């Protein structure tokens, strides 16, 4: 398991649910296994994060997030 | 469609509720919710207030709890009815009392035993079933659900669905839903509410950090990942659960099935164990008349009428058992020779006087019983008694044993965030360095946590401190938001609740610090429930009186305290000189100033004194008119002739609450009970409109009673200005007797009385050093501590006062007893002999040497200090000082002793006293402070003289004033006594930081002498550190 926490390009479907992203090549999302909300570091005025745990077609598990109200996506964690 | 939140935490979840009860209820009402539940962690403290708030806002309150279970799981329980409420109380009590303090947990057998009248909800993620599902243990989740189903039944057990948007929530919701389907269980939506609005999350997160001792930057499993656990609106809940609409409607169905569970204002009075065949009312009457014969000799018609009047009210309200309980307790105290005195409004009662609970003859004083109890108010009696502090717990224990530990408990108090505690706790969570927080907290005066910002601008010790307040802005904002939130439950100082039935069905009990079992409701909520309480207070003055009588007897003299004459002229002369240090209730600077002008000549003057020096009369400008009229400098006038008999004893000034009652009766024709209700309403009136309405009513009734309208309006304006401040005359009278008797002791037995006061510290207004200055001023020598002569406590030795061994800091109780035991065998011959035979520890030895307690064995303290190591070594080797000395001993090296100044400082640090001489005496000699006048020197100077005085700063304080401007009162202590100093706003703004905010150095005060009556004070225009004055010289 590795923390990455870097910006990443994500394609989404309706309701901004990820369907593919780019990390060492294109990764197709097979299933969103979980999603949740995080408040983040409110004391540093950081906005909320919406986090998705996804399983890719290649069998990998990843966590992607975006800040509420902002378009950029980040890859937070890669599961082995 | 609406919704009801059935899982809600308030601040009474102690550091886990981020919004006040007012906010939670207000939010629910504003969203149109028909009901709201309160489910704090293992606690029902919020229940009474919650119910009152909810009913005010027109929503149904549902009382519940989130209970910790064995295994670490949570369970939400809601009361359907009064039986359900009792079940909650019993469960919470068992969870607390059967486990170590602060680790409550209920056993399964307790749930089985106390399930009547309850709904059970599966709880949050820490509920057993959700926990198992989240961990993939579905089989066990099913078994667990079956167990709860069997226990509570299908109608009363529900699985909680929470869309908390935390990891795994969708899987959890699916798992719970499947479980519900397979077992035919109901599902209900909840939101595990911990704060009212989403934007309140930060303050909840901070509280979590405080609770878990972490900082904002740290990760902790108890910190919520998001801000979703707020009181979501019905629309939001419906949106979240749009796929399961029935879980939303189920919240309404459950709420609908909940009736009123918490009944307030019940009659849960204790039952006194009566003699066979007797009823409480009869037995009380018998005792009262027996007591009346003792008190009055002959029971006259007037006495009989008064007693019958009181007994009628007591019986009709159902309180004879309560009075019997208190009578029995007072009787026990007397039998055990424990000194006590009833105080407060109970002294308005002739029944209490005849039962020897109080010592105030309310009939002779013309005091109205209705100030204490009335049919109209129908409130519970609340009798307060001061006991000798050493034996208060013994008396409390008697109550526990007599009425059963199931029926008696101490009352709790809620320790809440004030400025200092909020700065420390929240600042730590925000990761401010501890030394910084300590510095800021120590600088803060006692303030509410939401007054910090205002204080920064107005208190000079804060403004001029050099602390960069701006960088703590966020901290102070957080303090303001959490101001007044409860932090933990503590024990009320004196309150004990005694019930007629086991308390655990009425109020949950838990253990507070020191193993005391307390109710979870404080004194106000206890009363709202319908329980009665007593206040058994500890008063060190009682102990000091007792001890002084022992000292007097040990000097071969006799004094019957009960027979001290209340007209002793030398005692009044002392009061009139304002020399009242050590006298109960009369020793503060304001009291000393009053006494030196009042020319008190009878007990009534003392009664008035006790009532006059209070914020109310001071703010209401009543003190000056009273003094002027007392001295005949101003005519005594009455707005109406009917006021004369009421106000004559206070020279036409309204001073006592009882006078307000009497005025309402004679002027407006109120009944006694109505009059007391008027007084209470006036003192709680929240707005000008409320007061105007009351005034109108009073005036109309007065006019109907034949009083002119203009006169009635003027009378009301006097009452109005006074209403919230007035003092209870009975209470003042109760205190006045003790005040005068202690004044008698101060006048005639100063050594004995002050030795006792010094042994009972901390007590009274002044620290030990000031008392020693007063003793010296009275010609009584202070003898330093001496390992060969001092006892545990201060003693009188040949007319002088010997400092006790207990006064030496760092001398443990154990070591003190060792010294006394060794000395009993034979006196100490030398320091070595002392070290060897007493066996005391190094810390104790160092303190004893440096405080001068070994001076009689060897006068050079520095040599002794050096010798400690040597003597401890010899002791360790088991060397017998009688055999080995002087052959084994190294001679003490040639060392110059500590300087006088060094000795004074160490004595002061270790004893709080400088027994040999005062700092000012030393500095005057050393620095030749000819221009700095002593308290003795200024006593001969005329009014208006410019002076410089110097000394140690004693008790600076800033009482409220009518103008709102700050005036500081303090005393400067020198070797001859005290100089009272007044610092007005301008000087305070310049020099206030020398008086408040931590260090308080000795000062030189530049000012003008003011004479008033026999008293004098200095009005300061400049303050400076005495050290700076020395340096400049």
């Amino acid at each position: 398991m590795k923390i990455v926490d870097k910006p990443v390009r994500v394609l989404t479907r309706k309701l901004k649910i990820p369907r593919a992203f780019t990390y060492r090549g294109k990764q197709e999302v097979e299933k969103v296994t979980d999603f949740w909300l995080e408040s983040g570091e409110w004391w540093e005025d950081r906005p909320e994060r919406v986090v998705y745990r996804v399983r890719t077609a290649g069998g990998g598990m990843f966590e992607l997030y975006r800040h509420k109200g902002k378009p950029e996506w980040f890859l937070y964690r890669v599961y082995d | 469609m609406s919704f009801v939140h059935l899982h809600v935490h308030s601040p009474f979840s102690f550091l886990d509720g981020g919004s006040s009860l007012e906010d939670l209820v207000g939010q629910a009402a504003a969203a149109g919710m028909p009901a709201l539940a309160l489910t704090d962690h293992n606690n029902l403290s919020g229940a009474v207030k919650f119910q009152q708030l909810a009913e005010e806002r027109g929503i149904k309150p549902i009382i519940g709890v989130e209970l910790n279970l064995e295994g670490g799981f949570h369970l939400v329980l809601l009361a359907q009815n009064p039986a359900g409420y009792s079940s909650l109380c019993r469960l919470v009590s068992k969870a607390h009392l059967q486990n170590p303090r602060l680790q409550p947990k209920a056993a399964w057998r307790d749930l089985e035993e106390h399930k009547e009248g309850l709904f059970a909800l599966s709880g949050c993620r820490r509920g057993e079933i959700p926990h198992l599902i989240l961990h993939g243990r579905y089989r066990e989740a099913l078994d667990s659900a079956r167990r709860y189903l069997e226990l509570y039944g299908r109608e009363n057990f529900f699985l909680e669905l929470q869309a908390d948007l935390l990891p795994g929530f969708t899987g959890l919701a699916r798992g719970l839903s499947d479980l519900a389907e397979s077992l035919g269980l109901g599902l209900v939506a909840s939101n595990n509410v911990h704060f009212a609005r989403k934007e309140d999350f930060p303050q909840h997160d901070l509280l979590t950090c405080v609770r878990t001792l972490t900082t904002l930057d740290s990760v902790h499993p108890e910190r919520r990942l998001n801000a979703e656990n707020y009181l979501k609106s019905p629309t939001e809940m419906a949106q979240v659960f749009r796929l399961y609409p029935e879980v939303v409607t189920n919240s309404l169905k459950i709420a609908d099935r909940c009736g009123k569970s918490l009944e307030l204002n019940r009659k849960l009075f204790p039952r006194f164990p009566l003699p066979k065949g007797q009823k409480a009312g009869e037995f009380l009457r018998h005792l009262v008349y027996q007591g009346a014969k003792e008190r009055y000799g002959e029971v006259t018609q007037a006495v009989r009428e008064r007693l019958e009047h009181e007994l009628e009210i007591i019986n009709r309200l159902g309180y004879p058992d309560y009075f019997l309980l208190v009578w029995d307790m007072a009787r026990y105290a007397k039998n055990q020779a424990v000194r006590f005195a009833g105080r407060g409004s109970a002294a308005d009662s002739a029944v209490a006087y005849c039962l020897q609970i109080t010592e105030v003859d309310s009939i002779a004083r013309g005091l109205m019983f209705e100030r204490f109890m009335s049919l109209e108010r129908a409130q519970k009696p609340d009798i307060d008694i001061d006991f000798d502090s050493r034996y208060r717990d013994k008396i409390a224990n008697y109550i526990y044993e007599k009425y059963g530990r199931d029926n008696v408990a101490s009352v709790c108090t809620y320790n809440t965030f004030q400025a200092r505690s909020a700065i420390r706790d929240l600042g730590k969570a925000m990761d401010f360095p501890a030394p910084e927080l300590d510095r800021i907290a120590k600088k803060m005066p006692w303030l509410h946590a939401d007054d910090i910002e205002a204080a920064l601008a107005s208190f000079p010790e804060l403004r001029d401190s050099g602390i960069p307040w701006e960088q703590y802005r966020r901290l102070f904002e957080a303090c303001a938001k959490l101001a007044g939130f409860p932090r933990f439950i503590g024990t009320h100082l004196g309150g004990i609740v005694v019930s007629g039935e086991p308390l655990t069905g009425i109020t949950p009990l838990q253990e507070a610090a020191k193993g005391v079992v307390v109710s979870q409701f404080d004194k106000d909520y206890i009363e709202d429930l319908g329980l009665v309480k007593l206040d058994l207070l500890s008063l060190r003055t009682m102990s000091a009186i007792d001890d002084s009588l022992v000292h007097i007897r040990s000097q071969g003299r006799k004094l019957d305290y009960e027979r001290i004459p209340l007209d002793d002229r030398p005692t009044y002369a002392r009061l009139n000189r304002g020399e009242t240090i050590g006298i109960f209730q009369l020793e503060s600077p304001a009291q000393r100033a009053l006494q030196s002008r009042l020319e008190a000549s009878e007990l009534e003057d003392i009664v008035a004194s006790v009532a006059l020096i209070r914020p109310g009369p001071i703010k209401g400008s009543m003190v000056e008119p009273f003094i002027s009229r007392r001295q005949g400098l101003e005519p005594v006038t009455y707005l109406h002739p009917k006021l004369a008999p009421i106000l004559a004893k206070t020279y036409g000034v309204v001073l006592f609450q009882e006078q307000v009652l009497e005025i309402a009766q004679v002027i407006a024709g109120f009944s006694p009970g109505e009059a007391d209700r008027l007084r209470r309403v006036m003192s709680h009136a929240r707005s000008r409109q409320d007061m105007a309405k009351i005034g109108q009513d009073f005036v109309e009734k007065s006019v109907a009673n034949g009083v002119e309208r203009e006169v009635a309006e003027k009378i009301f304006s006097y009452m109005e200005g006074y209403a919230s401040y007035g003092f209870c005359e009975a209470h003042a009278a109760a205190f006045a007797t003790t005040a005068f008797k202690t004044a008698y002791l101060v006048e005639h037995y100063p050594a004995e009385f002050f030795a006792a006061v010094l042994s009972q510290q901390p007590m009274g207004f002044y620290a030990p050093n000031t008392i020693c200055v007063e003793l010296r001023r009275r010609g009584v020598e202070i003898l330093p501590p001496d390992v060969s002569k001092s006892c545990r406590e201060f003693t009188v030795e040949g007319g002088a006062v010997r400092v006790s061994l207990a006064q030496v800091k760092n001398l443990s109780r154990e070591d003190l007893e060792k010294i006394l035991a060794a000395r009993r065998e034979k006196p100490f011959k030398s320091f070595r002999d002392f070290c060897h035979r007493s066996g005391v520890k190094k810390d104790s030895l160092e303190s004893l040497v440096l405080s001068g307690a070994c001076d009689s064995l060897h006068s050079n303290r520095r040599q002794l200090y050096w010798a400690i190591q040597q003597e401890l070594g010899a002791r360790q080797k088991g060397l017998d000082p009688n055999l080995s000395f002087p052959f084994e001993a190294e001679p003490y090296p040639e060392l110059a002793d500590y300087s006088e100044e060094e000795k004074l400082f160490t004595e002061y640090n270790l004893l709080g006293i400088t027994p040999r001489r005062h700092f000012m005496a030393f500095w005057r000699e050393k620095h030749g402070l000819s221009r700095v006048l002593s308290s003795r020197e200024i006593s001969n100077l005329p009014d208006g003289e410019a002076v410089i005085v110097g000394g140690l700063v004693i008790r600076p304080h800033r009482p409220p004033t009518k103008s709102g401007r700050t005036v500081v009162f303090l005393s400067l202590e020198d070797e001859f006594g005290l100089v009272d100093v007044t610092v007005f706003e301008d000087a305070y703004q310049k020099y206030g930081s020398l008086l408040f905010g931590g260090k308080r150095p000795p000062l030189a005060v530049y000012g003008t002498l003011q004479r008033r009556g026999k008293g004098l004070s200095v009005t300061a225009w400049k303050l400076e550190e005495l050290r700076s004055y020395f340096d400049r010289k």
Side-chain angles (χ1 to χ4, degrees), chain B residues 558-696:
Chain B
K558 281 194 185 141
L559 175 66
D560 185 347
Y561 182 79
E562 307 311 323
R563 290 196 148 58
I564 284 178
L566 299 178
D567 59 356
D568 182 64
R569 291 298 119 207
T571 303
Y572 281 107
R574 163 163 306 282
L575 292 174
N576 295 341
R577 290 192 301 272
E579 294 174 359
T580 57
I581 290 175
I583 298 173
F584 182 63
Q585 295 291 305
L586 302 181
E587 60 177 341
S588 70
Q591 277 289 357
R592 287 191 285 107
L594 172 69
Q595 294 307 318
S596 62
R597 297 173 61 205
L598 192 60
E599 294 176 17
S601 57
E602 52 178 4
L603 195 67
E604 284 308 314
D605 295 321
I606 313 298
V607 177
S609 300
V610 171
L612 266 174
I613 302 301
R614 304 277 162 183
I618 293 169
K619 260 175 113 166
S621 304
M622 282 175 346
V623 182
E624 293 308 316
F626 184 90
I627 295 174
S628 300
R629 290 174 180 211
R630 168 77 179 75
Q631 292 173 343
L633 299 174
E634 213 182 272
V636 178
T637 54
Y638 304 99
L639 286 171
H640 190 283
K642 283 186 182 177
L643 296 180
I646 302 169
L647 300 181
K649 65 177 154 190
T650 51
Y651 309 98
V653 171
V654 179
L655 192 56
F656 301 121
Q657 293 167 347
E658 288 87 342
Q659 288 171 319
V660 172
L661 269 70
E662 290 183 83
I663 293 171
Q665 279 185 86
V666 305
I667 298 295
F670 280 37
S671 73
E674 284 174 332
D676 187 58
R677 206 165 57 193
L678 166 76
R679 178 198 68 79
R680 278 201 118 218
V681 168
M682 283 172 79
S683 44
H684 291 112
R686 289 178 199 179
S687 65
R688 279 236 54 83
Q689 289 99 314
D690 286 347
M691 194 59 95
K693 247 172 68 179
I694 296 164
Q696 215 173 6

Side-chain angles (χ1 to χ4, degrees), chain A residues 15 31-46 48-49 51 53 63 68, chain B residues 164-171 198 201-203 205-206 216-217 223-228 474:
Chain A
L15 299 177
K31 183 176 182 174
V32 175
T33 58
D34 202 358
F35 79 95
W36 64 87
L37 202 58
E38 287 181 10
S39 289
E41 295 83 8
W42 58 263
W43 55 95
E44 288 171 14
D45 297 318
R46 302 239 180 100
E48 277 183 313
R49 291 193 285 264
V51 186
R53 189 177 292 148
E63 273 176 26
K68 253 189 162 183
Chain B
D164 49 20
L165 303 183
L166 291 173
F169 82 94
T170 48
K198 192 160 181 168
F201 170 67
Q203 61 220 43
D205 198 25
L206 268 174
L216 286 174
D217 283 334
R223 285 182 72 187
R224 285 175 197 282
L225 207 52
N226 63 36
E228 291 302 302
R474 264 204 130 145

